[in-house]
Amino acid sequence: AAEGGGIEAAAPSALGGAPEPKAADPAAPDPAAQPPAEGEPKKEGEAEPKAEDKDKTKEGEPAPLDPKDYVLSDLPEGITAEDPLVVKFLEGAAKGGMDNESVNAVIKTLGPAMAERMNAGAVAYRTLQEEWLTSAINDPALGGGSRDKLDAAGTRIKQAINTLGLPDDIVAEGMQHFTLTGAGNSRGILRIMGAMASRLVEKSVVQGNGPAPTGNAADRLNRLYPKSSKSA
């Protein structure tokens, strides 16, 4: 006992004495409330997961959308849902979780620019063909300012090709390529082919070496039968 009649305090144990009870952790999950792991059988009495929970990914985000599920109502003229640019946009929209209304709003805003971009090649081709054709019509060696004369020059070129004796399928394929590529409107190509045609196709009737016959009947008879006309 300590001096003065007080009670002596107990010395602390080397082991630290009995541990104090710990309070329950409020953030700790309740094992009974946790859903079974994937592939683990459902416990007896456990409720089925809700439908909205089935449509969520493991991270709690909505399930990815399918680009084919979008209904496009504001496509500009000349553009379809199968166009590559539209397909790529819908793929990105689905990954980003865009709803159908937002997708149509974007397409409606960007539609004119998309149509212009997608048709740029066709517009450039048509413009070039118009320029080439105008140049060929106005060329003195081809059309001379007349479309009819240019067509006549084209006919002479075809006639010259026919004199080469090429198989019909080769000629037909060549003419088809001239049309598809637009090369048949090129002034430079037409001038080269026109020069080749002029050496293959006769432009006028071949004349003999002698003088042309006159309108006198006796003279014509003398040319045909020189001996008989003299004896007469």
Side-chain angles (χ1 to χ4, degrees):
E3 186 179 354
I7 300 176
E8 184 177 0
S13 168
L15 299 177
E20 295 181 359
K22 294 184 178 180
D25 186 0
D30 183 2
Q34 294 299 309
E38 185 177 356
E40 182 180 341
K42 184 170 65 68
K43 297 179 180 179
E44 184 178 356
E46 187 176 21
E48 288 287 342
K50 296 180 180 179
E52 55 267 24
D53 294 334
K54 293 182 179 179
D55 293 335
K56 293 184 178 181
T57 62
K58 295 181 179 180
E59 293 77 13
E61 297 293 334
L65 300 175
D66 189 341
K68 297 179 180 179
D69 292 338
Y70 288 115
V71 179
L72 305 180
S73 57
D74 293 312
L75 283 175
E77 185 178 358
I79 294 182
T80 67
E82 290 75 27
D83 288 324
L85 190 60
V86 177
V87 171
K88 287 297 183 183
F89 168 71
L90 294 181
E91 290 177 357
K95 291 180 181 179
M98 292 181 64
D99 56 57
N100 198 82
E101 183 179 357
S102 299
V103 167
N104 277 285
V106 172
I107 291 181
K108 184 177 181 180
T109 302
L110 298 179
M114 293 172 61
E116 182 179 355
R117 176 69 177 272
M118 296 174 66
N119 296 326
V123 172
Y125 174 83
R126 184 169 60 251
T127 301
L128 179 63
Q129 294 306 306
E130 292 174 352
E131 293 175 353
W132 279 1
L133 182 59
T134 299
S135 179
I137 291 175
N138 294 328
D139 189 286
L142 295 171
S146 170
R147 177 58 190 265
D148 292 339
K149 291 183 179 180
L150 179 63
D151 292 341
T155 300
R156 289 195 299 272
I157 292 174
K158 292 178 182 178
Q159 291 174 347
I161 293 175
N162 291 334
T163 63
L164 299 176
L166 298 173
D168 293 341
D169 57 336
I170 294 180
V171 175
E173 183 179 2
M175 293 296 102
Q176 183 183 34
H177 290 176
F178 272 118
T179 301
L180 292 176
T181 62
N185 292 326
S186 170
R187 179 173 68 103
I189 293 179
L190 289 176
R191 291 195 67 170
I192 293 175
M193 298 188 69
M196 295 171 61
S198 66
R199 290 162 174 76
L200 295 173
V201 179
E202 296 179 351
K203 293 184 178 180
S204 59
V205 178
V206 178
Q207 297 279 338
N209 292 328
T214 64
N216 188 293
D219 184 65
R220 291 198 299 272
L221 180 62
N222 182 50
R223 283 183 169 277
L224 292 173
Y225 308 103
K227 294 182 180 180
S228 61
S229 61
K230 289 181 179 179
S231 60

